[in-house]
Amino acid sequence: MKKIVIACTIALLFIACSDDSSSNETQTVNKALNRQSTGSSSNDLLSDDQFKSIRIELVYIEGFEPSDEAVDNFVSFLTNLCFKPDGITVEKRSLSSPEQETYTIEEIADIEREERKFYNTSDQIAVWALFMDGKSDKDEGDRVVLGTAYWNTSFVIYQNTIQRLSDSPFEPSRTKLESTVINHEFGHILGLTNLGAPMQTEHEDEENLKHCNVEDCLMFWESEVSGGSFNPLNRNKIPELDAQCLADLRANGGK
């Protein structure tokens, strides 16, 4: 069987939008606060110092909705890590396809700029999660990108690629693969590894920066569908954060 390496990417987009504001229900909000560097809202997401709840705006292209179980797993992942006494809510909706085969991260960001409805309020932090019908322009040969965290509260999942690589004989469970990629990308948004949540011990992979060097950790840099320690086929459960990553998050306000 052909070996396929699955990787995620972290994109840092820089824009100037100090006067970019809109009405978020009854409050006027500054959209720029949700367009900061990946990992910079680590403490805001983990602690309840300012934000008491998380609102997840989950948007998918028609026909590419993630499974309910994967969404539930994502909420459980956040609940176990973040102090949010007023809860974590998910609001799902679909979009029509832009009808592209591949997407650059700037094109993904443009979709968010056009379609995002919810931004931070005084006590609620908002998250944008986009599930696309195409693939990343960073795919190359047997290396495919399944997800990218690109702003402090934004990430994209290339759901079309996940669907192509899952649920057939000798391929991983789609829900397990979805959950692994979603949780991994949000791990970057939470500041892992060495990306906003200061490391308590040295565990950043020197060859794959911003990833954990422990192969069993959720934040390890790759998974291999055809084999390897990170292969969802070889696991009875979704990969979890190792003790060092958990220590980083606790030290930055998490549970």
Side-chain angles (χ1 to χ4, degrees):
M1 181 173 63
K2 182 179 179 180
K3 181 179 180 180
I4 301 174
V5 177
I6 298 176
C8 78
T9 59
I10 306 167
L12 301 179
L13 302 181
F14 301 97
I15 62 171
C17 53
S18 59
D19 62 348
D20 192 358
S21 62
S22 69
S23 177
N24 194 8
E25 294 182 343
T26 60
Q27 301 184 57
T28 298
V29 297
N30 184 355
K31 294 180 181 180
L33 297 178
N34 292 94
R35 295 176 184 171
Q36 304 301 307
S37 60
T38 306
S40 62
S41 290
S42 172
N43 179 261
D44 289 336
L45 286 157
L46 290 165
S47 76
D48 62 353
D49 292 345
Q50 176 179 354
F51 298 107
K52 311 302 180 184
S53 63
I54 298 175
R55 185 179 201 168
I56 302 168
E57 186 176 357
L58 193 158
V59 178
Y60 59 91
I61 301 303
E62 293 174 354
F64 293 87
E65 181 179 2
S67 67
D68 289 340
E69 185 177 352
V71 176
D72 290 343
N73 290 339
F74 178 39
V75 173
S76 295
F77 177 73
L78 294 180
T79 300
N80 290 334
L81 297 173
C82 305
F83 286 104
K84 296 301 169 193
D86 291 343
I88 299 168
T89 58
V90 178
E91 299 185 28
K92 293 196 295 184
R93 61 190 174 88
S94 64
L95 296 177
S96 298
S97 174
E99 298 184 351
Q100 293 181 213
E101 182 178 350
T102 62
Y103 296 89
T104 67
I105 197 61
E106 272 295 349
E107 289 171 331
I108 294 296
D110 284 342
I111 293 172
E112 176 178 349
R113 293 183 184 103
E114 181 69 23
E115 300 291 346
R116 184 166 180 165
K117 293 182 177 180
F118 303 116
Y119 296 85
N120 296 353
T121 63
S122 59
D123 62 355
Q124 182 179 76
I125 190 165
V127 169
W128 166 268
L130 180 62
F131 291 76
M132 290 304 300
D133 61 339
K135 61 185 180 179
S136 167
D137 71 320
K138 301 300 184 184
D139 287 3
E140 184 176 356
D142 61 358
R143 182 184 177 92
V144 295
V145 176
L146 295 189
T148 302
Y150 58 94
W151 277 328
N152 56 324
T153 60
S154 304
F155 68 100
V156 59
I157 302 297
Y158 299 101
Q159 186 71 4
N160 176 280
T161 305
I162 286 180
Q163 291 184 3
R164 289 192 294 107
L165 296 176
S166 59
D167 274 356
S168 294
F170 307 110
E171 291 181 339
S173 153
R174 182 166 300 165
T175 293
K176 192 181 297 183
L177 188 56
E178 287 174 338
S179 296
T180 298
V181 178
I182 293 168
N183 292 357
H184 180 102
E185 292 311 320
F186 208 80
H188 289 309
I189 288 175
L190 289 176
L192 299 172
T193 302
N194 197 23
L195 191 66
M199 291 190 297
Q200 303 306 294
T201 57
E202 182 60 47
H203 64 107
E204 183 178 11
D205 187 336
E206 293 182 358
E207 295 183 0
N208 302 282
L209 298 179
K210 310 309 176 187
H211 289 88
C212 184
N213 61 13
V214 177
E215 290 189 5
D216 286 337
C217 180
L218 174 69
M219 299 311 296
F220 190 62
W221 79 281
E222 68 171 9
S223 66
E224 296 178 344
V225 172
S226 60
S229 62
F230 205 61
N231 183 356
L233 282 172
N234 296 337
R235 294 174 178 267
N236 293 321
K237 59 180 182 179
I238 301 158
E240 298 179 352
L241 294 173
D242 81 313
Q244 294 176 102
C245 283
L246 288 172
D248 295 348
L249 298 185
R250 291 192 186 103
N252 204 37
K255 291 183 179 178

